[in-house]
Amino acid sequence: PARPTEFPNLACKSSCPLLRGLGNDSVGAAEAAARGDIEVAKLLYQHALSLQAFSTAANYWSCRSADDTLAVQLDVEQAAEKLVESTEVLVDSGVFPPAYLLQAEANLREKRTVRINAELDAHDARFSLGQSLGRAPEAIANTPTPADHFPALTDSLSPFDDQTRSALIVRALHHRYDYLAIKQSLVPLNILIRQAELNLKPEVNLAAIAGYKGLNEGRSLTSPLGKRLTGLNAEVGISVAWPFKNTYQRGLLRTRRANQNQVEAEAIQLAQSVAREVLLAIEQLRLRADTVRSAEETVHIAKRAVAAQYEQLKTGDGTILDVISLENLSAASRIRYINAHASYAISIAQVRYALGAIFTDTESGMTLSDLTVAPAL
């Protein structure tokens, strides 16, 4: 008899879950959830950029404040040195008692110590700025000095009413990338919950098989005709699987619903945190500007007081301690003015960050006005 000749058997099988959304919500849930996770990742990336921009702006103005404070301490130290020199001449000539010279020298040592600490703070602020700017490790030491002056003061802001505050909070919730990300994260969770709910149902699958039978039993004339012929074939059937307890899917559904509840609670907490940040930022912007104006007036008054005290010292109506005390007051007022102006500059960036308005145009990137000009409130 002739040796049988074999041909490949080809078959294609398709199955459709009838009770589980025809497969779209069950089989494709993982892929759909992954697409949602990508959108969440994009929003979190945008939020990280905004946070880094705000941190860089804060470090920039802190560095400027530290440099200006160091300049004030250098001036104070030089004034203390001149005071020692002039007091030494007057003590040698018998105009002042020797105790005055000791007081002047002690004041000089104190001012020098403060200047050294201010210099260290300036270096720290400069290196922090270089790190925020993303400079290479070997280039952080050469971070350039801040060249921009503190932003000019805006007109005095009156306290906002409740309606305006609520509108600003809603505005922030529509633009804050971190809040948008946590709301977007509910989308893939809902998809996975839908999948777990469908998988609790009985599995009723409509199966269809189509193929080509390619086996020839040989050339024997006595073989049945159906076995010697080849060709297309098809089968249609229904399979049923009905797990009675299905504890795994029930536990999975509870876990995913718990994750959804947790994210919803976190979204509420984040919304409250955003509201607090917005309210605090706009109040800081208003009050910091008033602080700068008050500190500037104090600087002018302290300068006049020091000049008047020097005139009294020349006439013998004042003492070295009076001069030292007023010079300390003048130096402290100058430093408070610098710190107040830096805090005002930082509050501008903080308002924009709280409102989600640092990047007004994502295509062109961040501009200088995003960090130096207060947004319209």
Side-chain angles (χ1 to χ4, degrees), residues 63 122-145:
C63 184
H123 285 304
D124 185 17
R126 183 76 55 81
F127 300 152
S128 297
L129 175 61
Q131 182 180 359
S132 297
L133 292 174
R135 294 176 65 86
E138 63 275 9
I140 289 181
N142 299 323
T143 302
T145 303

Side-chain angles (χ1 to χ4, degrees), residues 333-348:
S333 64
R334 292 171 63 186
I335 293 174
R336 279 195 295 269
Y337 171 71
I338 293 171
N339 292 334
H341 218 154
S343 298
Y344 170 75
I346 294 174
S347 67
I348 292 178

Side-chain angles (χ1 to χ4, degrees), residues 194-206:
R194 173 63 176 167
Q195 179 194 36
E197 290 174 346
L198 290 175
N199 288 342
L200 283 175
K201 296 181 178 181
E203 186 176 355
V204 179
N205 296 332
L206 175 63

Side-chain angles (χ1 to χ4, degrees), residues 216-227:
N216 192 326
E217 295 294 340
R219 299 178 181 178
S220 176
L221 296 178
T222 61
S223 298
L225 181 61
K227 292 184 177 180

Side-chain angles (χ1 to χ4, degrees), residues 21-227:
L22 302 181
N24 292 330
D25 295 334
S26 179
V27 179
E31 182 180 355
R35 292 196 187 99
D37 291 337
I38 292 176
E39 296 300 322
V40 173
K42 291 180 180 179
L43 293 171
L44 290 177
Y45 174 73
Q46 291 291 337
H47 175 66
L49 291 180
S50 299
L51 183 59
Q52 182 63 28
F54 168 66
S55 177
T56 302
N59 287 332
Y60 183 88
W61 297 125
S62 296
C63 184
R64 180 57 194 261
S65 174
D67 289 345
D68 290 353
T69 299
L70 176 59
V72 171
Q73 297 299 347
L74 287 172
D75 292 342
V76 170
E77 184 181 8
Q78 292 177 358
E81 291 176 350
K82 293 180 180 179
L83 182 61
V84 169
E85 294 173 357
S86 59
T87 303
E88 186 176 5
V89 172
L90 294 175
V91 168
D92 292 340
S93 61
V95 177
F96 286 165
Y100 279 18
L101 181 58
L102 294 176
Q103 295 171 359
E105 289 178 346
N107 177 64
L108 174 59
R109 299 299 187 276
E110 181 187 2
K111 297 302 185 293
R112 185 164 296 164
T113 301
V114 175
R115 187 266 304 166
I116 293 173
N117 291 330
E119 187 173 354
L120 179 60
D121 292 340
H123 285 304
D124 185 17
R126 183 76 55 81
F127 300 152
S128 297
L129 175 61
Q131 182 180 359
S132 297
L133 292 174
R135 294 176 65 86
E138 63 275 9
I140 289 181
N142 299 323
T143 302
T145 303
D148 296 295
H149 297 286
F150 292 120
L153 297 180
T154 58
D155 297 335
S156 298
L157 297 175
S158 58
F160 296 98
D161 55 20
D162 293 339
Q163 183 177 1
T164 303
R165 292 176 178 177
S166 299
L168 290 174
I169 293 172
V170 173
R171 171 182 170 185
L173 294 177
H174 281 87
H175 293 88
R176 283 282 294 263
Y177 291 112
D178 52 346
Y179 182 73
L180 296 178
I182 198 170
K183 296 294 288 185
Q184 178 65 30
S185 65
L186 290 172
V187 175
L189 287 176
N190 291 331
I191 294 175
L192 295 176
I193 289 175
R194 173 63 176 167
Q195 179 194 36
E197 290 174 346
L198 290 175
N199 288 342
L200 283 175
K201 296 181 178 181
E203 186 176 355
V204 179
N205 296 332
L206 175 63
I209 303 175
Y212 185 89
K213 186 176 182 181
L215 177 62
N216 192 326
E217 295 294 340
R219 299 178 181 178
S220 176
L221 296 178
T222 61
S223 298
L225 181 61
K227 292 184 177 180

